[in-house]
Each structure stands twice: as C-alpha cells, then as structure tokens.
Amino acid sequence: QVQLVESGGGLVQPGGSLRLSCAASGSIVSINVMGWYRQAPGKQRELVATVTSGNTNYADSVKGRFTISRDNAKNAVYLQMNSLKPEDTAVYYCNADVTLSTYYHTQYRYWGQGILVTVSE
C-alpha cells in the first residue's frame, strides 16, 4: 500500500513564506508525476503545481511565487510558497502517480490526507 504524508502547513502572515513537504512510501517501483493541489472552503480542488523528471507546471495564480521540487531518492515532493496571500488559504493535497510493478506499467494516483495552510494577520 502506498501512502503520502504531508507536513509543513500552518499559519503564516500575508507576504510570508511556508514550505510544504510530502513523502511517499510503500511498494513503489517509480513515480512519474508528483504534485500539489488545494481546496479552499466552498471551492473545487484545483491544481497548484506538478513536477516530472524534467518539467514543472504551475497554476497562473501561483506562478512566480511558488516553487515545486522533488527528491527522487526520498520519493518526496516539496512546495516552497513565497509572498503568500490570504487567497492561498486552503487545504493542500499532495499527489503522486505511481507505478507498482516492473512488469505491468499501470500508474495509480495516490493522495495525501491534506494539510491546512492559513494566510492571515
């Protein structure tokens, strides 16, 4: 069974910074895409950023402020969040597209439990 565990959330002032971490564990052969999504109260879950071995992708709302990175040896993904705004307040979810078998190449999407980020005075 694959599990994703997020850490690093909390309360931060507008303009401040926060770094989220997510580590995947379990019977993992490889991970193609890792990413972060978020869901604010009353809103749909939305993509924040994703990272593959060679590319990153960001939502327009966070471009230039957030940086996603990964550590393949640790099966981990990080989200450095700078210049935070109140509208960044949400539960942030880590995800990973995981290959579980060396013989069968089906990828499965796993999600973390979510971690709360609150941007407020």
Side-chain angles (χ1 to χ4, degrees), residues 78-93:
Y78 310 94
L79 186 68
Q80 179 66 46
M81 303 183 293
N82 298 326
S83 302
L84 283 162
K85 305 174 181 179
E87 49 264 46
D88 294 318
T89 296
V91 175
Y92 284 70
Y93 297 89

Side-chain angles (χ1 to χ4, degrees), residues 7-20:
S7 62
L11 175 65
V12 65
Q13 293 183 342
S17 297
L18 211 59
R19 187 172 189 256
L20 303 182

Side-chain angles (χ1 to χ4, degrees), residues 38 46-49 57-65 85:
R38 68 186 182 188
E46 64 176 352
L47 182 145
V48 177
N57 183 47
Y58 297 93
D60 288 341
S61 60
V62 307
K63 195 171 299 182
R65 300 187 297 119
K85 305 174 181 179

Side-chain angles (χ1 to χ4, degrees), residues 39-50:
Q39 187 168 23
K43 295 185 177 181
Q44 301 265 10
R45 185 179 297 188
E46 64 176 352
L47 182 145
V48 177
T50 60

